[in-house]
Amino acid sequence: MPDNKDILGVFGDTETAAEGARKLRGAGFTNEDYDVLTGNPYPEGAFGEHVKPNRLFVFSLGGAFIGFAIAFLFTAATQTAWPLVTGGKPILAVPAMMIIAYEMTLLFAMIGTVVGVVFESRLPRSSGAGPVYDTRITSGYIGLIVTTTEDRLSTAEAAFKEAGAADVVRESS
Amino acid sequence: MQDRPRLTQTQVNEELLWPVFSFKRRHALAFIPPLILLMGGVIAVTILIYQGLWVTGLQRPAFWGFFIVNFVFWIGVSHAGTMISSILRLTQAEWKRPITRAAEVMTVFALITSLLHPVIHAGRPWRIIYWLLPYDFARGVWPDVRSPLVWDPIAITTYLTGSILFVFTALIPDFALIRDQSTGMRKKIYSSLALGWRGTPRQWKLQGIFGILMSALILPVFVSVHSIVSWDFAVSVVPAWHVTVYAPYFVIGAVHSGVSMVLTLMALMRWIFKLENYIWEDHFDAVGRLLIFIATLWLFFFFLDFAFSFYTREEQELAVMQRRLFEWPFNAITVIMIMTSYVIPIPLWLSKRVRRNIPLMFWTSILVNIGMWLERYFLIIPAIERKNELTFLWSNYVPSLIESLVVLASFGMVALLLLLFAKVVPLVPAWEAKEGIVFREDVQIGEVIVPGIIKETEEDKAW
Amino acid sequence: MQNGDQEAVVIPGPPATHEDITEELIHVSRQTGSRMKKAIILSGILSLFGFIGIAMQMANGIDDHTKWNFYAVIYFYIFSVTMGIPMAGIGLRFARAQWRRPTSRSAELFAIAGPVNLIFFIPILMVAPPIEGRNSLWMDWALAPWFPDIIMMLLLVLTGLAFLYVSLLPDFAAVRDHGSGFTQRLASRLSRGWSGSPKEWSLHKSALGILGAFYITAYAMTHLVLSSDFAMTLVPGWKDPIFPAFHAITGLQMGAALLIVTMYLLRRLGGLGRYFELEQFWGYSRLLLALSLFWFYFWWCAFILFWYARLPHEQGVIALFVSGDFAVENILARPQFLMFAGAISFSFILPFLILMWNILRRSIVWPTVVGLIVLIGGFFDRMRLYANSWSIDQVGGHGLDHLPTVNAPGLPDLLVFIGMVSSVLFLYLLISRLVGFVSVWETREALLLRFIKPWGVGYAHVVVKPE
């Protein structure tokens, strides 16, 4: 497998970035080859990019099951370990167990969701934003980052320049 | 909607990040009042710990006084965060943008402040740690999960954890923004906090899904927390407390007081941090309209509680109601409560001119919170002073200076934490403000230009 | 590969033109084909069954309210469902949800059921026992409960009809201008010279706001007095301030459910698929999910208090409405428990388990299925509440001495059910011949709010959010 490298085109506004995406397509790159970097959300597919499906709900659901199990075990175990009748209520007081199970299910579902979001976002990255990045992206510039073989980097660079990129950033070897 | 100038992203960065990168006089001066209040509270708590709980007005049977009223009040205020941020996210209201983070973080700080109250209330708080660490497993003495006093910490912990996670995850893109604008040690710290965020469409899409999913998860928690706090009172058999409507009544009261606190916060933020470009009259107008609905719902539940107290004509319950309505000082408290929570603000807020007048909205929102604090007092104290039939067990609770100082200090603490937070991250989410700018498309209808929002984009068929 | 010039972007047209709206909503939708004629005639005839049922029931006597328990079940069921639907329309209008526009008219039209509820309310007033010796809100007032209750019902019904009329005004004008025949002449009278000037529209908007707020208030207060006077008062030891709120919110839930089912029928049978699309079903399914959660929450708020405190009179209330007689070993042999199980399963458990998945919420069939489930659950719930409370003959006392034997429904009750449902359907179909099922003025307004513009590599759907 040849080593893929990154090259980033930095564009000043939406129109030139869209033009950059068109030029890349024209040069033979598909939407799997490039990604977009922006400082704020843009409408999905605005630059023809493709976002792979995520499995966030698996984390939330898994967390919910874990929370429910912990709550059920905790309440059942503590009540049977010290079987004291309080206020005439049964030893295994189902309504009380339901309240605690409800809270713990939601707590662990939320924790699962956060873990899922961070993981599915491919975070944390040990290299921070990475070597191929431009800090102007969080000031309104739009980045198109192409991941391709070394021989095609110059094609991408040409496409960027033709579209009017403000800058091109290459991975230093 | 008025014609708004379109800001550039550089402008947004400058206007929202200046408190993080510099410490201007207006921000510094804002610290003084909360610090003074907090100092008063620290002195009061020190005296209380040194002298004992006798320095408060608490005595049999009124063991719950100002501390618990304030505890319930701050848990109530914390509900604003979820109301504003989650419900407005789920309904995709555009006007949520500048206030979500401030509301969410106010939730966290209000919860932390409220959690201090049971600790102070214990009188010898170190004993709580002594009892819990190490936990005595040997005697098999477990917490009674059938008690609302156990449901309470579990619910509050859930809500606090959820809110902290919500705030933090939504902060990641702004950590990345500060990382990109910083140098040196600040850059290193914010790089770690940003977790390597780059702003790819996948990351943004997950942020969007996260916002909706987390909102949907935290909303049931939000309803349950204040319901469980209400059940601390309602599941008991104290006359005038054992009322089934307490749960939604407390929840809607919490939303009323919390959203009013958000109004106060919006006005203060706009003034201290010069956020005129982000917090508009439109936002006050929208929050005001929401509050009319919430306040009216609160009045309905208050009316249900009031009307049904006469339903069974039970002596004890009627006696408590009589105290609340006719005996000093509760009669004055009741009148002030109704006037400040509903009678004065709501008719004013029906007028669009008033809703768009920021100073008026600021002062009426403070009135509401005075009323809602008094409402908790109205609900708790008259009943508990007479909770037993034996007249020699009755007392008249008189709050002491120590308790009053602690209550005032709680306001100082929340304000202080918010001001410190503003030093670390922008209070208005920069990425949400920029998203609002990007998604905005003005449309001409006839001779009028109206603001529109991009709902979705599609690729050109010829692509 | 295209060179991607801006001019090559193909922008699709709007979802409908003004001509489409005039043709579909004023001409096609108001046509009375043979199927519609048969439905109107049949429902008109079946409406009479209701009065036959009342007469038969009255022949059995009006002194013993325990024999009228299922009449109360049916009445409060239909009342809850039909008076809750306009609330869904009004509430969403206040919330400025733009997706509700095509559905508002079909929701508001249910205000026409008001007079039906008023007429069938009269036997309830005649048969319900006096409040003497019982707990009530009215403190032994001689005119209670019939006087305040009839006033509240009148207020609710008249406000609903007033709201409907104001909402219909611009559409009466549309029918006057584009319709023909008898309906055109009638609409012309009813339109009162509407010309569509900015001043008229401004007044129209204010009137809808004020009447909407009145309807919401009247709805809440009517549920408060009816539920406490005709359920809570009949059960010794039952004091439950949240019950009126439960009653009101479950009415709203049932109303939303019937509205979804109505939308589905209008889409399939009425040819209105262009107006009742996925977006509308998705919106109402989220509302239905929230209301189902509220069903559980409001029920739970009362239950947890009664369960926890273990006060004897409240244990009687739990036995009556939830668990049945504790002395009966087999829980499935307790009729009260079976009614409760049906209510909670169909009103909460099943709707929650289905609608919690976005993929099912975001469809047309599944919200409709859940709508039907909720309508069944609502019937179980009203049966649980009214069949049991109306079976109690004990007057006063600190709590229930014993659980009552529930009288089974008979032929008169069935006739009343058929009669009430048919009356509502008859009036609904009749008025739809005048103004159609979809609001013309709201749909035209919606057309102004959507634009498509070139954006990025393609085009963007832009939605305008007016004040």
Side-chain angles (χ1 to χ4, degrees):
Chain A
M1 284 282 247
D3 264 337
N4 281 340
K5 287 211 185 299
D6 291 339
I7 182 167
L8 173 72
V10 182
F11 297 85
D13 54 48
T14 322
E15 286 76 34
T16 47
E19 187 59 25
R22 289 191 199 98
K23 295 286 184 228
L24 282 176
R25 289 291 190 97
F29 293 99
T30 66
N31 62 8
E32 306 270 325
D33 294 327
Y34 72 92
D35 209 350
V36 186
L37 302 181
T38 51
N40 55 270
Y42 274 77
E44 204 178 318
F47 305 105
E49 75 280 6
H50 171 63
V51 177
K52 290 197 186 77
N54 64 79
R55 288 163 313 174
L56 182 60
F57 77 95
V58 172
F59 291 85
S60 307
L61 216 51
F65 279 124
I66 292 171
F68 183 81
I70 291 175
F72 183 74
L73 287 169
F74 168 70
T75 50
T78 53
Q79 286 176 111
T80 47
W82 193 26
L84 193 70
V85 173
T86 52
K89 290 178 270 296
I91 300 296
L92 279 179
V94 171
M97 291 166 76
M98 276 171 63
I99 290 177
I100 294 182
Y102 172 93
E103 297 293 339
M104 300 282 267
T105 306
L106 289 169
L107 172 64
F108 281 85
M110 288 193 286
I111 294 173
T113 305
V114 170
V115 167
V117 163
V118 171
F119 179 76
E120 288 281 329
S121 299
R122 311 288 182 251
L123 298 175
R125 286 168 58 104
S126 53
S127 56
V132 185
Y133 184 74
D134 192 309
T135 57
R136 286 174 291 179
I137 281 168
T138 44
S139 296
Y141 282 68
I142 298 163
L144 289 177
I145 185 161
V146 175
T147 307
T148 187
T149 51
E150 193 145 3
D151 53 318
R152 298 199 70 203
L153 287 177
S154 43
T155 319
E157 187 169 353
F160 289 150
K161 290 203 167 119
E162 210 183 318
D167 203 353
V168 178
V169 178
R170 276 192 186 236
E171 210 173 326
S172 48
S173 33
Chain B
M1 281 256 187
Q2 291 163 353
D3 206 14
R4 295 281 163 196
R6 200 180 268 271
L7 303 167
T8 63
Q9 294 217 5
T10 321
Q11 204 176 349
V12 170
N13 288 348
E14 269 167 29
E15 290 176 357
L16 294 181
L17 294 182
W18 70 258
V20 178
F21 287 99
S22 62
F23 197 31
K24 293 199 176 139
R25 204 162 63 133
R26 51 196 312 124
H27 191 184
L29 286 174
F31 275 88
I32 296 174
L35 273 171
I36 293 173
L37 289 175
L38 199 56
M39 288 284 290
V42 168
I43 294 169
V45 171
T46 311
I47 294 173
L48 182 138
I49 290 178
Y50 188 69
Q51 301 258 9
L53 275 173
W54 73 270
V55 301
T56 66
L58 300 169
Q59 57 165 317
R60 183 181 64 183
F63 285 125
W64 280 356
F66 259 27
F67 291 151
I68 294 297
V69 168
N70 213 33
F71 165 79
V72 177
F73 174 76
W74 281 110
I75 298 219
V77 166
S78 77
H79 278 46
T82 316
M83 177 74 197
I84 295 278
S85 135
S86 300
I87 290 188
L88 296 187
R89 257 185 240 277
L90 290 174
T91 54
Q92 296 172 316
E94 272 299 299
W95 51 274
K96 67 161 180 5
R97 289 186 189 286
I99 51 183
T100 51
R101 184 171 296 157
E104 283 158 19
V105 102
M106 189 182 74
T107 293
V108 173
F109 295 146
L111 280 172
I112 291 171
T113 305
S114 76
L115 279 175
L116 283 177
H117 287 73
V119 173
I120 297 169
H121 205 304
R124 301 183 202 185
W126 58 89
R127 289 202 165 187
I128 299 174
I129 306 167
Y130 179 69
W131 290 325
L132 291 177
L133 299 167
Y135 192 80
D136 184 358
F137 293 103
R139 288 187 290 165
V141 174
W142 298 103
D144 179 13
V145 297
R146 288 168 236 132
S147 165
L149 293 176
V150 171
W151 308 337
D152 233 358
I154 293 178
I156 293 172
T157 309
T158 304
Y159 194 35
L160 182 60
T161 311
S163 300
I164 290 175
L165 290 173
F166 204 167
V167 172
F168 180 79
T169 312
L171 263 173
I172 294 174
D174 277 355
F175 285 142
L177 167 63
I178 299 174
R179 170 199 68 196
D180 290 347
Q181 304 279 315
S182 321
T183 51
M185 180 51 87
R186 184 183 265 138
K187 192 180 181 81
K188 280 206 180 89
I189 295 172
Y190 282 92
S191 276
S192 315
L193 289 169
L195 305 177
W197 174 274
R198 281 150 62 85
T200 62
R202 185 185 178 83
Q203 289 173 342
W204 284 120
K205 182 168 183 173
L206 281 162
Q207 270 285 332
I209 298 173
F210 169 77
I212 305 270
L213 185 51
M214 202 66 173
S215 300
L217 288 173
I218 211 166
L219 263 178
V221 179
F222 140 91
V223 172
S224 69
V225 167
H226 221 51
S227 301
I228 289 171
V229 170
S230 81
W231 292 333
D232 285 341
F233 308 101
V235 297
S236 71
V237 293
V238 173
W241 275 6
H242 189 65
V243 159
T244 54
V245 80
Y246 259 31
Y249 180 30
F250 269 54
V251 172
I252 204 71
V255 174
H256 186 25
S257 96
V259 177
S260 302
M261 189 72 87
V262 167
L263 255 186
T264 314
L265 192 60
M266 274 160 62
L268 286 171
M269 273 167 64
R270 192 182 136 109
W271 179 57
I272 295 173
F273 299 107
K274 295 203 220 163
L275 294 171
E276 292 83 7
N277 281 334
Y278 304 91
I279 301 177
W280 311 329
E281 289 84 0
D282 296 338
H283 295 110
F284 287 88
D285 186 3
V287 176
R289 276 186 277 118
L290 178 65
L291 271 172
I292 294 171
F293 170 68
I294 290 168
T296 310
L297 205 51
W298 171 81
L299 191 71
F300 177 64
F301 283 115
F302 172 82
F303 178 71
L304 279 179
D305 180 26
F306 178 76
F308 278 89
S309 63
F310 302 106
Y311 183 76
T312 49
R313 281 169 280 178
E314 225 179 273
E315 251 179 56
Q316 290 170 330
E317 187 148 4
L318 282 176
V320 174
M321 248 326 165
Q322 191 159 359
R323 286 197 87 206
R324 281 176 177 167
L325 296 176
F326 300 116
E327 275 180 38
W328 176 264
F330 304 110
N331 49 2
I333 289 173
T334 307
V335 168
I336 296 172
M337 172 188 89
I338 299 284
M339 297 293 286
T340 53
S341 299
Y342 197 87
V343 174
I344 298 174
I346 278 44
L348 283 175
W349 289 343
L350 286 173
S351 153
K352 192 168 178 164
R353 279 231 320 259
V354 170
R355 289 198 305 265
R356 296 181 81 87
N357 181 324
I358 295 173
L360 261 178
M361 291 302 277
F362 174 73
W363 291 112
T364 46
S365 65
I366 289 181
L367 268 186
V368 168
N369 271 313
I370 292 171
M372 292 312 295
W373 199 97
L374 289 173
E375 187 229 23
R376 275 40 174 260
Y377 195 90
F378 162 92
L379 286 174
I380 296 173
I381 307 299
I384 201 172
E385 285 177 339
R386 299 288 182 270
K387 82 169 185 175
N388 201 291
E389 286 175 347
L390 304 169
T391 55
F392 59 80
L393 287 176
W394 289 0
S395 75
N396 285 321
Y397 170 70
V398 179
S400 68
L401 177 63
I402 301 287
E403 290 164 290
S404 309
L405 285 174
V406 170
V407 168
L408 290 170
S410 65
F411 288 87
M413 178 153 172
V414 174
L416 183 71
L417 288 170
L418 281 165
L419 288 167
L420 285 171
F421 185 80
K423 192 78 199 75
V424 175
V425 285
L427 269 181
V428 172
W431 66 266
E432 289 215 46
K434 291 173 188 173
E435 186 187 16
I437 295 169
V438 162
F439 276 68
R440 186 179 133 192
E441 274 293 327
D442 291 342
V443 170
Q444 181 149 7
I445 302 178
E447 290 187 0
V448 175
I449 301 209
V450 282
I453 303 148
I454 295 174
K455 272 288 170 216
E456 56 181 350
T457 55
E458 284 177 24
E459 278 183 20
D460 178 13
K461 296 282 184 284
W463 180 250
Chain C
M1 299 291 172
Q2 302 296 316
N3 66 5
D5 288 340
Q6 284 284 63
E7 296 82 69
V9 170
V10 174
I11 299 179
T17 61
H18 287 287
E19 289 73 29
D20 288 332
I21 290 172
T22 308
E23 175 60 23
E24 286 175 5
L25 298 184
I26 299 178
H27 295 137
V28 172
S29 173
R30 293 171 56 250
Q31 265 170 19
T32 307
S34 67
R35 206 165 50 173
M36 176 61 82
K37 263 197 197 123
K38 282 183 196 147
I40 293 176
I41 293 168
L42 186 62
S43 58
I45 294 170
L46 288 176
S47 309
L48 300 171
F49 281 31
F51 299 103
I52 298 171
I54 291 177
M56 284 172 71
Q57 192 78 306
M58 286 206 166
N60 288 337
I62 62 169
D63 294 325
D64 186 2
H65 68 278
T66 62
K67 295 206 177 85
W68 288 72
N69 58 351
F70 268 88
Y71 182 89
V73 170
I74 291 159
Y75 175 75
F76 284 104
Y77 176 65
I78 305 284
F79 167 79
S80 300
V81 176
T82 53
M83 300 317 275
I85 302 184
M87 273 287 284
I90 292 169
L92 288 171
R93 183 188 294 275
F94 277 129
R96 293 169 201 228
Q98 301 302 328
W99 53 264
R100 55 113 197 133
R101 282 175 185 278
T103 67
S104 291
R105 177 56 47 73
S106 44
E108 289 157 8
L109 283 179
F110 274 98
I112 208 77
V116 174
N117 286 312
L118 210 50
I119 293 170
F120 282 80
F121 187 46
I122 295 167
I124 297 271
L125 285 175
M126 291 166 68
V127 175
I131 59 172
E132 275 166 57
R134 298 173 195 269
N135 293 330
S136 93
L137 288 174
W138 306 112
M139 311 277 251
D140 291 332
W141 182 24
L143 294 179
W146 61 270
F147 181 70
D149 288 42
I150 201 84
I151 295 290
M152 286 310 313
M153 274 294 282
L154 270 171
L155 203 61
L156 182 65
V157 168
L158 291 174
T159 311
L161 289 172
F163 184 92
L164 177 62
Y165 178 71
V166 171
S167 176
L168 280 172
L169 262 175
D171 282 359
F172 284 140
V175 173
R176 172 197 68 198
D177 296 342
H178 298 282
S180 59
F182 169 72
T183 52
Q184 190 269 343
R185 290 193 296 277
L186 181 58
S188 182
R189 279 260 175 86
L190 291 168
S191 66
R192 314 286 297 155
W194 173 274
S195 60
S197 66
K199 184 163 183 196
E200 278 178 349
W201 281 115
S202 171
L203 275 170
H204 184 251
K205 189 174 160 182
S206 304
L208 284 180
I210 292 169
L211 284 169
F214 271 141
Y215 189 85
I216 293 174
T217 314
Y219 178 82
M221 297 305 283
T222 308
H223 274 270
L224 165 58
V225 298
L226 258 56
S227 64
S228 71
D229 287 341
F230 299 113
M232 218 188 295
T233 299
L234 300 174
V235 182
W238 188 20
K239 177 197 148 193
D240 190 356
I242 207 177
F243 180 66
F246 171 84
H247 206 269
I249 211 83
T250 51
L252 190 55
Q253 184 204 22
M254 290 189 255
L258 182 59
L259 184 55
I260 295 178
V261 173
T262 307
M263 277 163 47
Y264 184 80
L265 290 170
L266 289 174
R267 191 185 143 89
R268 285 292 300 271
L269 303 174
L272 291 167
R274 195 211 279 272
Y275 303 93
F276 297 110
E277 287 185 309
L278 184 61
E279 197 178 358
Q280 281 69 40
F281 283 88
W282 190 30
Y284 278 108
S285 68
R286 283 176 288 175
L287 181 64
L288 194 57
L289 175 62
L291 290 170
S292 304
L293 290 167
F294 272 120
W295 190 104
F296 178 74
Y297 176 62
F298 281 128
W299 168 77
W300 179 265
C301 285
F303 175 75
I304 191 69
L305 248 73
F306 295 165
W307 174 84
Y308 189 96
R310 309 254 131 185
L311 294 171
H313 58 275
E314 287 170 351
Q315 292 289 81
V317 174
I318 291 186
L320 186 68
F321 291 129
V322 180
S323 63
D325 193 348
F326 295 114
V328 174
E329 282 285 323
N330 181 9
I331 201 170
L332 295 174
R334 304 178 194 168
Q336 292 86 2
F337 175 74
L338 292 174
M339 289 188 231
F340 169 72
I344 199 169
S345 307
F346 288 93
S347 294
F348 168 64
I349 297 175
L350 282 173
F352 175 66
L353 288 177
I354 297 172
L355 292 180
M356 65 187 271
W357 306 102
N358 194 35
I359 198 163
L360 297 182
R361 281 200 302 273
R362 220 187 157 163
S363 68
I364 289 178
V365 171
W366 282 103
T368 312
V369 167
V370 174
L372 288 167
I373 290 173
V374 167
L375 286 172
I376 296 171
F379 190 81
F380 269 108
D381 188 52
R382 292 304 185 250
M383 187 164 54
R384 166 182 87 99
L385 293 168
Y386 289 95
N388 286 314
S389 56
W390 278 58
S391 298
I392 298 171
D393 50 14
Q394 179 187 340
V395 179
H398 198 53
L400 261 183
D401 293 333
H402 60 275
L403 283 181
T405 329
V406 179
N407 290 328
L411 177 64
D413 300 310
L414 180 63
L415 292 176
V416 166
F417 183 76
I418 294 170
M420 275 193 89
V421 171
S422 304
S423 312
V424 173
L425 184 63
F426 174 67
L427 290 173
Y428 191 81
L429 292 177
L430 213 55
I431 196 171
S432 72
R433 299 306 86 213
L434 181 59
V435 291
F437 293 108
V438 180
S439 170
V440 177
W441 68 268
E442 296 222 56
T443 312
R444 290 202 205 280
E445 193 182 5
L447 275 189
L448 284 178
L449 303 177
R450 287 183 177 248
F451 290 87
I452 299 177
K453 286 185 150 195
W455 213 90
V457 299
Y459 49 87
H461 291 270
V462 179
V463 168
V464 170
K465 294 210 170 187
E467 257 295 277

